[in-house]
Amino acid sequence: MHASISSLVLNRLLLGVVTLFVISIIIFCGVELLPGDLAQEILGQSATPESIAAFRQQLGLDRPATERYLEWLLGVVSGDFGASLANGREISELMGERLGNTLFLAGMSALISIPLALTLGVLAALYRNTAFDKGTSICTLTAISYPEFFVAYILIFLLAQTGFFPSISNISGDMSLMEKAYRTVLPALTMTMVVTAHMMRMTRAALINLLGSPYIEMARLKGVSPARVIVRHALPNALGIVINVIALNLAYLVVGVVIVEVVFVYPGLGQLLVDSVAKRDITVVQACSLIFAMTYVLLNLLADVLSTLSNPRLIHQR
Amino acid sequence: MKDLTKTLRQISLSAWFGIVVVSVYILVAFFAPVIAPYGETEIVGGVFEPWSDEFLLGTDNLGRDLYSRLVYGARNTVGIAILTTLLAFAFGSLMGVLSATIGGWLDQLMGRSVDVLMAIPQLIFALLLLTIFGTSIINMILIIALLDSTRVYRLSRAAAVNVVAMDYIEAAKLRGEGLGYLIFREILPNITAPLVAEFGLRFCYVFLLISALSFLGLGIQPPTADWGSMVRESANLISFGEVTPLIPALAIALLTVAVNFIADWFLHRSTGLKG
């Protein structure tokens, strides 16, 4: 009975692994595509041929690309990303705490936004076509069209300069969890504003789609209250879509932190990525993009697998 | 004429709002030198001067008039976003129609490459490519156009596949028409409606991405007036309760909302969806 569903999931997982592999090749090859040579690019036009040759050897550019790719990939798998070009420090050391901070921010935003979006979605479906429904619809539609930094600065303007929350989220490892959470409130709220709209609208749409079906009519006719109809009868069937949307938005959260981190000077991976792009520190950018792309692909994969698993038609096959 | 008035009357209130806002932006962009009291990069006063009759919105960190830069920003930011979207559409739709028409290995190759390109988040990919090729306006335009053309490719291929299956395409092929004729005279005219509707949405996306990159200091470079980098330059003022840095950001947000309203209305109209 479960043969087909497990093979579906297995297929999807295999495809995910292939995607990850191809992405690692693309990110690695980006450097190979450089017009000219990485060593020349970094040292500039005035560099002597000797120093360029020495630098090439240091980077290992004199060896074939396939050999270097395999070495890089093996290093990445074991957590060794090589050294930064700008300051020679180990990349894994640079990223260590920052990755945790970024996940902390994304996690906190998820903790606020998911319950909020689900509640708003259910309420909007329950009171559809009322002023409440239309109001949330307009608010969420507008919030979705704003650039992240606009939302961030509005929040700073309203909440930070009046003294409620700090406008700079400079957290560090030795702070207590509460202190960290307090300083992360504004960036997390910004991310919440950005992702809640989509999740809420999809929840509402999935629920309203189901409300037309005969079994909901039946439940209503036997006198079940509207709130119970939605929560007990409609919501379980909408779960597949809702889970999918949540996972997709989590993927967006992890990527979307880049700009928000810069606004709030939050010591996360996104900030490191942006700084390194400005410095053209290609090895650090490679490592950061690989981490971001991997998280994105894995969460998308999770969304697909979960929505397959939560589909009753696939679970109860004849 | 009657048709026109009928269409005009059917435009929803939100779409009217969008049309008015977009028209104002276009006018400002065209007549920027007339509207702006000072030049785009002209240093006219002290640093961070407050709002006054002389400087409507005060001056920025170098003493340039913020109001004038805001006006010129309409030209630069919106102009570059439109150019990028047009490039993405030209490339994406041509490739989409081409792979739908030719099919076979080309279609497979294009399809799989687009899948891979779309698996990497756009902002991250753009940042990676900007590191590799260096940050400049030309690079940014080409990179974003390439990344965004994958979405256009998907749409135009899906639309073109339906058209390619039509009898009149078969007839044109039997007549011995060449590939160019098939694409430009037979297929493209028949898929313009979904492409035009998509244009608005893609424009918003590109516009926000460019603003975000400029805000990060990796997009449009100074001294060119641009809304994203203007927010970045004056952002510190916000902690002192100044609203000035919010104004360029508001200009970005307002245009995105307006274009979304128009695109939404157009989509409803062209697909016949009501309500």
Side-chain angles (χ1 to χ4, degrees), chain A residues 19 22-23 26 30 34-35 145-147 149-150 153 156-157 161 255 259 262-263 273 277 280 282 285 289 292 296-297, chain B residues 116 119-121 124 127-128 131-134 208 212 215-216 218 231 235 238-239 241 243 246 249-250 252-253 256-257 260:
Chain A
T19 314
V22 176
I23 286 177
I26 291 185
L34 260 184
S145 353
Y146 286 171
F149 56 86
F150 184 48
Y153 281 125
I156 292 187
F157 185 71
Q161 58 103 7
V255 176
I259 292 164
V262 173
V263 173
L273 175 60
V277 174
R280 297 194 74 179
I282 188 82
V285 175
S289 351
F292 275 119
Y296 189 73
V297 169
Chain B
V116 171
I120 306 178
I124 305 296
L127 288 177
L128 177 72
T131 322
I132 294 168
F133 295 106
L208 286 181
F215 171 74
L216 295 176
L218 307 168
V231 176
I238 221 159
S239 319
V243 286
L246 286 176
L250 184 69
I252 297 169
T256 329
V257 174
N260 263 330

Side-chain angles (χ1 to χ4, degrees), chain A residues 18-30 69 72-73 76 286 290 294, chain B residues 120:
Chain A
V18 173
T19 314
L20 283 180
F21 188 63
V22 176
I23 286 177
S24 76
I25 294 181
I26 291 185
I27 291 180
F28 181 81
C29 285
Y69 170 70
W72 180 70
L73 193 65
V76 166
Q286 261 181 340
L290 188 69
M294 263 168 56
Chain B
I120 306 178

Side-chain angles (χ1 to χ4, degrees), chain A residues 115-160:
Chain A
L116 183 71
L118 289 185
T119 318
L120 282 177
V122 169
L123 284 179
L126 195 59
Y127 301 109
R128 67 185 177 287
N129 296 329
T130 62
F132 171 78
D133 183 25
K134 291 203 173 104
T136 43
S137 162
I138 290 178
C139 287
T140 49
L141 253 191
T142 347
I144 224 169
S145 353
Y146 286 171
E148 279 108 339
F149 56 86
F150 184 48
V151 179
Y153 281 125
I154 290 181
L155 285 180
I156 292 187
F157 185 71
L158 294 179
L159 295 175

Side-chain angles (χ1 to χ4, degrees), chain A residues 65-88:
Chain A
T66 43
E67 198 182 311
R68 279 181 293 126
Y69 170 70
L70 285 178
E71 202 179 277
W72 180 70
L73 193 65
L74 283 176
V76 166
V77 171
S78 59
D80 172 24
F81 289 89
S84 152
L85 286 185
N87 50 25

Side-chain angles (χ1 to χ4, degrees), chain A residues 83-270:
Chain A
S84 152
L85 286 185
N87 50 25
R89 286 177 59 191
E90 282 291 313
I91 295 176
S92 46
E93 184 190 321
L94 281 174
M95 289 204 304
E97 199 174 315
R98 285 172 174 268
L99 181 61
N101 287 345
T102 291
L103 292 177
F104 180 71
L105 172 57
M108 208 166 128
S109 322
L111 273 184
I112 305 177
S113 61
I114 293 172
L116 183 71
L118 289 185
T119 318
L120 282 177
V122 169
L123 284 179
L126 195 59
Y127 301 109
R128 67 185 177 287
N129 296 329
T130 62
F132 171 78
D133 183 25
K134 291 203 173 104
T136 43
S137 162
I138 290 178
C139 287
T140 49
L141 253 191
T142 347
I144 224 169
S145 353
Y146 286 171
E148 279 108 339
F149 56 86
F150 184 48
V151 179
Y153 281 125
I154 290 181
L155 285 180
I156 292 187
F157 185 71
L158 294 179
L159 295 175
Q161 58 103 7
T162 44
F164 288 119
F165 295 102
S167 66
I168 289 179
S169 314
N170 48 346
I171 64 167
S172 62
D174 47 6
M175 280 179 189
S176 71
L177 190 66
M178 276 314 290
E179 178 74 15
K180 263 190 184 176
Y182 171 68
R183 284 174 184 246
T184 319
V185 164
L186 281 188
L189 270 185
T190 310
M191 295 308 301
T192 305
M193 302 270 289
V194 177
V195 293
T196 303
H198 186 222
M199 289 195 281
M200 180 239 142
R201 289 178 74 83
M202 290 304 285
T203 312
R204 176 183 177 275
L207 283 176
I208 285 183
N209 209 6
L210 281 170
L211 289 183
S213 37
Y215 81 98
I216 296 287
E217 178 103 46
M218 177 66 211
R220 242 190 236 130
L221 287 176
K222 73 180 189 201
V224 179
S225 73
R228 202 176 148 79
V229 165
I230 292 207
V231 175
R232 286 283 303 155
H233 296 256
L235 202 55
N237 275 306
L239 221 52
I241 301 175
V242 172
I243 290 177
N244 202 354
V245 172
I246 289 180
L248 287 181
N249 274 287
L250 282 183
Y252 181 78
L253 263 182
V254 174
V255 176
V257 291
V258 173
I259 292 164
V260 175
E261 278 179 7
V262 173
V263 173
F264 291 97
V265 205
Y266 185 87
L269 209 54

Side-chain angles (χ1 to χ4, degrees), chain A residues 14 32 65 96 126 134-135 189 270-271 280 311 314:
Chain A
L14 266 179
E32 308 293 316
L126 195 59
K134 291 203 173 104
L189 270 185
Q271 177 101 53
R280 297 194 74 179
N311 187 340
L314 289 172

